[in-house]
Amino acid sequence: IDIYAFYGLESLLELSLYSNKIIDIEAEHFSFMENLEILHLTDNFIENINKNSFLKVSKLKKLHLGENILYSLDENIFQNLINLEELNLRKNFISNLRFELDNLIELKSLILFDNNLKFLDKFLLKNLICLTDADFSNNNIKVLEKFPNLEKMEYLELSANEIQKIEKETFLGLKNLRFLILNYNKIYFIENDAFKGLDSLSKLEIDNNYLSEFDRNLFKYLVNLRTLSLTNNALEIIKNDSFFTLRNLRKLSLQNNR
C-alpha cells in the first residue's frame, strides 16, 4: 500500500484490510483518517508497525491485528488510542507485553490468545479500569501474578497455558468476574483462598489438569457459582462438605477422574 493511498478520506469511519498480503504499516498510512473508528488488519503478513502508525487515529474504537507475524510492538504504539474499546492481537508471536496500555482507559476487550506470552505483568493491566473481558489462552504462561483491581472484568480465559499452581488471592481484584476458564493447563495445586473475592463468579472450569485433590474449603467463597467443571483431572478423593457452600450450583462435572 502506498503511503498516501488513503489521502482525502477524512470522513472514513471503518477500514477493512483483512486477508491481504500487507507486510509493513507505515506512519503515514492512516494519518489522514482522523475520524476512523474501526480498523481491520487481520490475516495479513504484517511484521512491522511503525510506532507512529496510530498517532492520528485517536478516535479509534476497534483495532484488529490478529493472524499476522508480529513478534513485538513498540512500547508507545498505542499511547494515543484513548478511545479504544477493543484490541485484538490473536494468533501472532508476541512473547512479551512490553507495549504500554496505560492510556487505554476505555478498553473493554483485550484478545491475546494464541501467542507466545510467558507471563502476565500485573502492572501492565492496572489502568484498564473498563476492561470486561480478556483472553490469554493458548500461550506459554507458567505463573499467575495477583491481578490488579479490575472491577468491571467479567470474563477471563486462561486455557491452554503452562500454569502449574494458583496461589491465594490471585483473583482478589476481580470482584465482578463471572466466568473463569482454566482448562488444559498443568495445574496440580490450588491454594486455599485462591478464589477469594470471586463472589460473583458463575462459571469455573478447571478441566484437563493434574489435580489429585483439593481442600474442602477451596470453593467456599463461590456462593453464586452455577457451573463447576473438574473433568479429566486425577482426583482420587473428594472430602466431606467440599461443595457445601455452593448453594446455587446447577451443574457439577467430575467425569474422567480416578
Side-chain angles (χ1 to χ4, degrees), residues 2-217:
D2 290 339
I3 59 174
Y4 298 117
F6 303 120
Y7 181 75
L9 299 180
E10 291 90 352
S11 298
L12 197 69
L13 297 178
E14 180 172 353
L15 175 61
S16 297
L17 292 166
Y18 54 79
S19 297
N20 283 291
K21 296 180 180 179
I22 302 168
I23 297 174
D24 298 305
I25 301 296
E26 302 296 342
E28 295 84 5
H29 275 145
F30 313 120
S31 60
F32 309 105
M33 305 179 187
E34 295 183 356
N35 290 300
L36 194 67
E37 294 183 355
I38 301 173
L39 177 57
H40 297 282
L41 289 162
T42 302
D43 190 21
N44 279 282
F45 294 88
I46 300 171
E47 298 177 355
N48 301 296
I49 303 178
N50 186 283
K51 65 180 181 179
N52 294 319
S53 293
F54 307 124
L55 202 59
K56 298 294 181 65
V57 287
S58 61
K59 293 182 181 179
L60 205 64
K61 292 182 179 180
K62 294 183 180 181
L63 176 58
H64 292 192
L65 290 164
E67 299 178 52
N68 281 289
I69 315 176
L70 293 170
Y71 283 83
S72 62
L73 293 165
D74 185 86
E75 64 179 22
N76 295 316
I77 195 166
F78 302 128
Q79 66 175 348
N80 208 41
L81 300 183
I82 56 175
N83 292 297
L84 196 67
E85 297 179 0
E86 182 178 316
L87 176 58
N88 193 322
L89 289 159
R90 73 178 192 267
K91 294 187 177 183
N92 278 283
F93 299 89
I94 299 168
S95 58
N96 290 300
L97 299 181
R98 293 182 177 173
F99 43 88
E100 289 288 337
L101 299 176
D102 284 0
N103 289 348
L104 305 187
I105 55 174
E106 297 295 329
L107 194 69
K108 294 179 174 64
S109 179
L110 177 60
I111 309 299
L112 275 155
F113 76 77
D114 205 356
N115 277 276
N116 289 322
L117 296 177
K118 303 293 191 299
F119 63 93
L120 291 178
D121 187 342
K122 63 182 179 181
F123 296 108
L124 187 77
L125 303 174
K126 65 181 176 65
N127 287 334
L128 303 182
I129 56 175
C130 288
L131 196 65
T132 61
D133 63 89
D135 190 341
F136 302 108
S137 60
N138 203 19
N139 279 280
N140 295 305
I141 299 168
K142 291 181 171 60
V143 178
L144 284 183
E145 296 184 2
K146 291 181 180 179
F147 282 84
N149 289 326
L150 300 173
E151 295 186 357
K152 293 188 177 182
M153 177 85 87
E154 294 184 358
Y155 180 91
L156 178 59
E157 168 70 81
L158 288 161
S159 293
N161 279 285
E162 302 289 326
I163 302 165
Q164 296 184 18
K165 63 179 182 178
I166 302 176
E167 298 180 352
K168 64 180 182 180
E169 300 182 355
T170 295
F171 309 106
L172 188 62
L174 309 180
K175 69 177 187 178
N176 289 307
L177 194 68
R178 297 185 62 238
F179 302 94
L180 176 58
I181 315 298
L182 294 161
N183 302 329
Y184 292 98
N185 277 281
K186 296 180 178 179
I187 300 170
Y188 67 89
F189 180 68
I190 304 176
E191 285 190 10
N192 266 350
D193 292 345
F195 302 125
K196 186 177 182 179
L198 297 183
D199 301 1
S200 299
L201 199 68
S202 177
K203 186 173 188 177
L204 174 60
E205 294 185 1
I206 318 177
D207 297 340
N208 296 282
N209 281 282
Y210 300 152
L211 281 175
S212 60
E213 63 177 339
F214 56 85
D215 190 88
R216 60 188 294 271
N217 293 311

